[in-house]
Amino acid sequence: MQQLRLLTLVLSFFLLPLAYGQADVNATVEEVADTTEAEENEFDLVSTIMHHVSDAHEWHLWGEGDSSVGLYLPVILLDDGIKMFSSKPFYYGDGIVESGGKYYTLHHEKIYETDAAGTLTMDEEEHPTNPMPLDFSITKNVVMMIMGGLLLLILFGSVARSYKNGMVPRGLAGFLEPLVIFVREDIAKPNIGPKYKKYMPYLLTLFFFIWILNLTGLMPGAANASGNIAFTLTLAAITFVVVNFSGNKNYWKHIFDPLGDQMPWYGKLPVYLILVPVEVLGLFTKPIALMVRLFANITAGHIIVLSFVSLIFILQSYAVAPGSILLTLFINTLELLVAALQAYIFTLLTALFIGMAVEEAH
């Protein structure tokens, strides 16, 4: 950057007099130097926030540049065979990795196939057009999901063992049993009905898995797994499969013949040209609503917290630090409630959709 600053000053000294005259050279050179220094010190809020809420192939812990410390996660690609290597070369050196006679580079945390020079061809919107291999890498969000799953197994394994010594819950079981009863009595039974037991394992897994990932995502340095659209899309897709494979004859009749025997077929036909496509569309809007609601609420909370913290660096003043920290603590405390609330809402709506699918005709 010092070389860039020196080059800017030299060009300004020789070229600006042609436009403004010799008397204005010194003032102009000072303005250019000040502008260059301001650009160097300018805090990029959008990039900082996106870096923290987005997935990545490395787990950055602290430090910058060569002094940074992080956990470099394994890269697994399917491209003319399986290719596995560490993600470290993507973040150091020229950022190009050779594996199996092919070259790969990382651009905005997406892996593209390139040449030995790391060339990326861009379209009009500055998006790379290079081919992308199928990426099955262990990213930050994948690690968080694995940790969440293991934590669930440890917690409920401990609870199951505690019941071998008697039916009175103790310790951890005493804390988790009321939550399990809550899911059964306030979510499953009212919305699904007599067949609720069949879906209790799925509803309990949904509730506790989402809740745990929401809570762990608030920890310093943790990944934002439940605020990732791919994660919420997968959960919504599983719910879509469970709901529609559980649908009985009455459920499918309501979609394709919602008026039933109330009208003759020739009277229903004009109505069904509009009504049936809307009902079919509703099959997909339900899981889409689940996906977007969880993703948007969790991501918005992280963005607000990071925005309040960033006020200190944007204004470059210690005077705003107390207010920024107090607002951050308030929102972070509120996010503890949102973490449980979003797990509850996702599970509740899932139970409601299942109940609509298994409901018998009146």
Side-chain angles (χ1 to χ4, degrees), residues 78-145:
L78 185 60
D79 186 21
D80 294 335
I82 299 176
K83 296 178 173 60
M84 299 180 61
F85 50 87
S86 171
S87 63
K88 185 175 182 179
F90 283 141
Y91 299 95
Y92 287 93
D94 56 8
I96 304 170
V97 178
E98 188 275 330
S99 179
K102 291 190 175 183
Y103 295 90
Y104 303 96
T105 190
L106 196 67
H107 181 75
H108 294 317
E109 292 301 332
K110 294 182 180 180
I111 299 175
Y112 295 90
E113 186 177 336
T114 182
D115 54 20
T119 305
L120 288 176
T121 56
M122 301 291 184
D123 58 16
E124 296 179 353
E125 298 180 354
E126 293 299 317
H127 295 152
T129 59
N130 296 50
M132 297 178 62
L134 290 177
D135 190 358
F136 296 95
S137 303
I138 307 298
T139 61
K140 286 200 305 182
N141 287 340
V142 174
V143 174
M144 289 296 295
M145 287 186 282

Side-chain angles (χ1 to χ4, degrees), residues 19-65:
Y20 300 104
Q22 185 64 38
D24 297 331
V25 169
N26 293 332
T28 306
V29 169
E30 291 178 359
E31 291 175 2
V32 172
D34 292 340
T35 302
T36 305
E37 185 175 359
E39 290 178 353
E40 290 180 2
N41 297 326
E42 184 179 358
F43 180 74
D44 192 346
L45 175 63
V46 175
S47 297
T48 301
I49 290 178
M50 292 306 298
H51 171 74
H52 282 83
V53 301
S54 300
D55 199 5
H57 290 78
E58 60 127 5
W59 205 314
H60 182 262
L61 299 177
W62 63 80
E64 295 295 336

